[in-house]
Amino acid sequence: MNKDTKNLSIDRIDGRLKVTGGANYFADFDLPGMAYCVLVGSEIGRGTITGIETKKAQGAPGVLGVFTHQNMPPIPGWDASVGGEADGPPPRPKEEQYRILSSPKIFFDGQPIAIVVADTFERATYAASLVKATYNKQTARTDLQKHVAEGIAPKGEDGGNYLRGKADAYQTAPVTLEANYTIPIEVHNPMELHGILAHWTGADTLMIYAKTQGVNATQNAMAEAFKIDPRNVHVHTEFMGGGFGMGLRTWPQETAVVAIAKKIGRPLKLVVNRSQMFTLVGHRPYTVQTIQMGADKDGKLVGIAHAATAETARYEDFTEATVNMTKFMYACPNVSTRYRLVRLDRSVPIWMRGPGEATGAFALESAMDEMAHKLNLDPIEFRLRNYTETDPEHNRPYSSKHLKEAYQRGAEAIGWTNRKAQPGSQREGGWQIGYGMSTGVFSAFRWEASARALLKADGSLTIQSAVTDIGPGTGTALTMIAHNVLGVPINRIKVEYGDTSLPKAPTQGGSAIVSAVGSAVFDACTAIKQALVELASRDGSPLAGRQADELTMTDGVLSVEKEPAKKVAVGELMRANNLTVIDKTKDSKGGPEQAKYSMYSFSVHFVQVRVNPLTGVVRVAKAVSVADSGRIVSPKTAASQMIGGVAGGIGMALMEEAVIDHRYGRFVNNNLADYHVAVHADVPAIETIMIDKPDPIINPMGAKGMGEIALIGFAGAVANAVFNATGQRIRDLPITPDKVMQKLV
């Protein structure tokens, strides 16, 4: 590794392209003869279509076809079962399946009932307005709160239950707490809308430009759907305008577009509209949770019970790790968790940044704050009294954990000593001031990945991987890893990614890409370095007899680290051996040693809030986020990840909520005017702190994921700060002025 530059902070390698408009997103591609399609959504939340009138739409100018359940082209791979994966729910009967445009059955409001294709987007949009349907309407069940008692256990080994020690041990503790917490529906809502451009280049060869977080996953999904060789499916997604989880699967409308493109014999593009982003590409599920907690008078936890019930679709079950953090975060001898699903007449949820861990952390970390107050303990001190260096769930050590240091450094940065223990006792300029903190955690992974590295005799280096960069700066991180191994100047490194013609990579999600793909890049670059060492070790070379770990490479010169005078130029070395390029591809994955450790990334979020007692307005005045995520590969993009997590966390805590009119099962704020997200005025200056200590187990860089922990726990920190400012505990997100005023009155 080039030790002098391991913490070098560089600008994003894709930054200039993005700010100058040079980056092409899927919707920017324009193919000869391309047609456009628009989706027509149902106007009911449950029932069946009794009639659908398409004649006017078919006769509209430029229309190439109107597709409904009556004439949808077949999709060979869509068999009679859905949701029957090994670790998922059992197959549903045919009448309970959602196969887009395959039957007159309606499962949710806005479900596509027709796809209109025309030679321009404007003509397709107009023709879509002419499609009319009649329905046999049934009452839609969309209110989770009314159906909590109907929760069912997800399929799995534990049936949604976990127990360590005694289930009700918390009841025996001298200090107890029982509280309910609610997370509403939240929608991803990146600026870039979802969609796909599909072009059949032959009878069984397909070119796709898509908004996907994994080009290889989309390739395999389309190959399976159309029963063709995956090698015949070419998927390209070099740039993506924010995924946040919505691109983690191939959605039914994408597959339908591919089928229709084949039918009409022309390239076909779909870009959904903003309201369809609320119904067709997933969301964070509405979830209700109960925490029951007991502690002794010394602040040691006796027991925790954590129950969560989340919504899912009637046609497909979606599960996430809402209660998992409770199983291992603190040293508690008695822990029980329970997870249930309620099937509603809604579109299926999907993971959203921080996924279930963000939902669960809000409940657990709010409860920890509540218990600390009952015990008259500082919230940090309470956590430290229940700190554990080993994973109590699996009874094994953590691969690395520096959370105590994170608590200390974050507390110093926020000015935690200024916090008043008595809630509501601190004011400034008419505002009530409060401090809050919360812990976040997310599993650290090392998935299998491949990468290719090509070093040319002119000193330039190319890195190739199929990985999609959904926004965190993956290409920049891979550049830094290659630079640290080979010492090639940053401006001489090119990273090519986001295309299935490149070495395979996992889907970007779960904060695992730097660990997985980064390891493959590390291995490929290390193989190049080893090849150079072998060339340089031949008779007559000043580096003869040296080993790879004795040599360092800087600016195209290979030298002995402790004897810099002994060196050789890489370009000369390659030319002397008649080489124009050294080309290495490596498959990389973790070894058996990883099973001996629990691997997690940790975060601690600190906030200072100001609450207006007259209006109930809450402002986050200061935020400090600390990341314990191993070695920091790219400091600038890492800091951006934490800042973005805070912005998302402010939205989660104070404003984001998709509202349904349960009379109709329909969203009433399915637009960016009424669905509020954090804007610049809502986000203060954010201080990010990196512990930056390598994990010795997970991968050769020592790096762990950061994207999820940037958000996990932040909403709890805000809720805890609001309590400290006002003495009022708000357990139902978002914390809006009306809820604050209701508590204060």
Side-chain angles (χ1 to χ4, degrees):
M1 178 174 284
N2 184 14
K3 296 175 180 168
D4 293 335
T5 57
K6 66 182 179 183
N7 287 316
L8 178 67
S9 186
I10 66 170
D11 294 335
R12 298 177 63 108
I13 63 168
D14 57 355
R16 181 173 294 276
L17 280 175
K18 287 185 172 180
V19 301
T20 59
N24 287 319
Y25 298 81
F26 89 91
D28 293 324
F29 289 92
D30 190 1
L31 302 180
M34 186 172 69
Y36 301 80
C37 60
V38 171
L39 307 178
V40 180
S42 70
E43 297 176 338
I44 66 170
R46 182 177 183 178
T48 55
I49 300 170
T50 56
I52 186 164
E53 174 54 54
T54 62
K55 190 172 294 185
K56 289 183 179 180
Q58 289 172 335
V63 171
L64 303 172
V66 179
F67 298 88
T68 70
H69 67 279
Q70 298 171 337
N71 65 336
M72 176 66 193
I75 298 172
W78 282 7
D79 57 24
S81 65
V82 63
E85 296 83 0
D87 58 349
R92 280 172 165 75
K94 188 173 183 180
E95 64 272 12
E96 289 298 319
Q97 295 177 27
Y98 168 49
R99 297 299 203 194
I100 187 170
L101 303 187
S102 66
S103 83
K105 189 153 189 170
I106 300 299
F107 291 96
F108 58 92
D109 183 81
Q111 174 184 321
I113 62 169
I115 298 178
V116 179
V117 181
D119 57 0
T120 70
F121 172 72
E122 292 78 10
R123 284 175 162 178
T125 300
Y126 170 70
S129 71
L130 302 177
V131 176
K132 304 298 178 184
T134 56
Y135 305 92
N136 177 15
K137 181 180 178 181
Q138 298 174 279
T139 301
R141 303 189 326 159
T142 55
D143 191 343
L144 176 69
Q145 294 281 8
K146 289 185 177 180
H147 301 281
V148 169
E150 301 172 22
I152 59 173
K155 183 182 178 183
E157 292 183 5
D158 59 8
N161 299 322
Y162 168 81
L163 176 62
R164 180 171 73 248
K166 296 180 180 179
D168 299 322
Y170 72 92
Q171 296 177 347
T172 66
V175 183
T176 60
L177 166 74
E178 181 169 344
N180 299 318
Y181 304 89
T182 303
I183 297 282
I185 296 168
E186 296 172 358
V187 183
H188 304 85
N189 269 328
M191 287 189 291
E192 184 194 25
L193 299 167
H194 200 265
I196 187 172
L197 167 57
H199 176 38
W200 288 89
T201 56
D204 62 351
T205 54
L206 176 62
M207 180 69 208
I208 291 175
Y209 302 88
K211 182 168 185 176
T212 174
Q213 291 178 231
V215 292
N216 290 126
T218 298
Q219 176 188 47
N220 291 332
M222 291 302 182
E224 176 62 26
F226 293 95
K227 296 301 180 185
I228 58 178
D229 190 326
R231 292 172 294 183
N232 290 349
V233 181
H234 186 178
V235 183
H236 181 88
T237 310
E238 184 177 3
F239 296 101
M240 186 173 182
F244 307 110
M246 59 182 287
L248 287 174
R249 64 175 289 176
T250 300
W251 295 98
Q253 62 271 11
E254 296 177 84
T255 310
V257 169
V258 174
I260 294 171
K262 189 169 190 177
K263 176 72 175 179
I264 66 173
R266 295 172 64 166
L268 183 61
K269 181 187 290 185
L270 168 70
V271 179
V272 306
N273 61 40
R274 181 58 61 180
S275 66
Q276 291 167 341
M277 294 285 287
F278 283 70
T279 55
L280 299 182
V281 290
H283 55 275
R284 192 188 301 279
Y286 194 112
T287 306
V288 295
Q289 302 175 76
T290 299
I291 297 281
Q292 297 163 311
M293 183 180 291
D296 63 26
K297 293 182 179 180
D298 292 327
K300 296 288 290 183
L301 287 167
V302 173
I304 307 175
H306 185 177
T309 301
E311 62 154 324
T312 191
R314 185 154 54 96
Y315 59 86
E316 180 180 341
D317 286 352
F318 169 77
T319 63
E320 56 183 358
T322 304
V323 298
N324 284 19
M325 179 178 175
T326 301
K327 300 175 184 178
F328 64 85
M329 191 66 232
Y330 298 107
C332 183
N334 304 290
V335 174
S336 64
T337 65
R338 182 177 182 272
Y339 182 75
R340 295 292 183 267
L341 297 173
V342 174
R343 292 171 174 169
L344 299 175
D345 298 306
R346 298 265 296 108
S347 56
V348 70
I350 193 65
W351 299 281
M352 187 168 170
R353 188 177 188 179
E357 286 82 350
T359 299
F362 168 65
L364 177 62
E365 291 299 291
S366 294
M368 289 292 288
D369 195 79
E370 295 194 51
M371 180 59 80
H373 180 69
K374 283 195 168 200
L375 292 165
N376 197 28
L377 285 175
D378 180 275
I380 298 177
E381 175 59 27
F382 180 47
R383 286 166 173 80
L384 290 175
R385 292 190 186 188
N386 294 280
Y387 195 87
T388 175
E389 292 290 355
T390 59
D391 177 358
E393 179 187 5
H394 299 105
N395 193 29
R396 61 193 180 197
Y398 293 109
S399 57
S400 65
K401 184 180 183 183
H402 305 285
L403 197 52
K404 285 183 178 180
E405 182 179 347
Y407 286 139
Q408 176 188 350
R409 294 181 62 181
E412 291 173 355
I414 198 72
W416 191 255
T417 55
N418 297 323
R419 176 185 180 271
K420 305 297 184 184
Q422 180 60 41
S425 62
Q426 189 170 354
R427 289 179 178 256
E428 184 180 302
W431 292 78
Q432 294 173 294
I433 309 300
Y435 291 80
M437 56 80 58
S438 176
T439 309
V441 64
F442 194 79
S443 293
F445 306 99
R446 182 180 174 183
W447 293 329
E448 187 171 355
S450 300
R452 185 184 185 192
L454 302 97
L455 180 67
K456 296 182 180 178
D458 64 5
S460 65
L461 176 68
T462 300
I463 301 296
Q464 295 181 334
S465 169
V467 66
T468 300
D469 186 345
I470 67 174
T474 300
T476 307
L478 300 183
T479 298
M480 282 302 307
I481 292 169
H483 169 75
N484 287 337
V485 175
L486 288 174
V488 175
I490 297 296
N491 62 1
R492 301 285 282 156
I493 301 175
K494 180 182 180 182
V495 179
E496 298 175 351
Y497 54 88
D499 195 283
T500 51
S501 65
L502 303 173
K504 288 186 177 181
T507 297
Q508 182 157 103
S511 300
I513 289 302
V514 168
S515 179
V517 180
S519 294
V521 170
F522 183 98
D523 290 348
C525 290
T526 299
I528 285 180
K529 185 176 180 181
Q530 183 60 44
L532 290 170
V533 169
E534 292 172 1
L535 293 176
S537 298
R538 295 177 180 177
D539 292 342
S541 168
L543 304 182
R546 299 293 184 173
Q547 300 299 313
D549 58 2
E550 297 180 83
L551 303 180
T552 184
M553 182 173 160
T554 305
D555 295 342
V557 175
L558 200 62
S559 62
V560 179
E561 185 174 355
K562 297 181 179 180
E563 301 175 65
K566 293 185 176 181
K567 59 186 179 181
V568 62
V570 170
E572 294 178 8
L573 183 64
M574 292 176 63
R575 285 188 288 271
N577 288 274
N578 297 317
L579 292 174
T580 58
V581 64
I582 299 177
D583 184 347
K584 298 292 182 181
T585 298
K586 286 292 181 180
D587 301 324
S588 181
K589 63 180 179 179
E593 73 282 353
Q594 301 207 5
K596 300 176 183 178
Y597 298 88
S598 290
M599 296 184 292
Y600 293 97
S601 292
F602 300 92
S603 61
V604 186
H605 302 286
F606 290 85
V607 298
Q608 182 202 72
V609 300
R610 295 171 176 260
V611 182
N612 190 312
L614 299 179
T615 65
V617 168
V618 178
R619 295 288 188 195
V620 177
K622 186 176 181 181
V624 175
S625 284
V626 190
D628 174 23
S629 56
R631 173 64 72 205
I632 303 303
V633 169
S634 175
K636 183 174 284 190
T637 55
S640 293
Q641 277 288 284
M642 296 302 287
I643 291 169
V646 169
I650 290 173
M652 183 179 186
L654 299 180
M655 54 201 70
E656 291 196 50
E657 179 181 17
V659 179
I660 293 177
D661 185 334
H662 295 299
R663 295 174 299 172
Y664 309 106
R666 184 174 305 156
F667 284 111
V668 297
N669 64 336
N670 53 350
N671 56 76
L672 288 182
D674 298 315
Y675 180 92
H676 293 172
V677 298
V679 297
H680 282 96
D682 302 306
V683 181
I686 300 162
E687 182 174 354
T688 61
I689 299 173
M690 311 297 168
I691 300 301
D692 196 18
K693 292 183 177 179
D695 185 298
I697 305 299
I698 189 167
N699 56 51
M701 301 86 63
K704 296 191 288 188
M706 181 180 288
E708 314 294 0
I709 60 166
L711 182 138
I712 295 169
F714 192 86
V718 174
N720 296 339
V722 169
F723 173 77
N724 182 243
T726 66
Q728 307 301 325
R729 176 64 61 177
I730 298 176
R731 303 185 180 99
D732 303 321
L733 293 184
I735 303 171
T736 49
D738 59 310
K739 294 175 184 175
V740 175
M741 292 305 299
Q742 185 179 15
K743 290 283 188 179
L744 290 176
V745 171

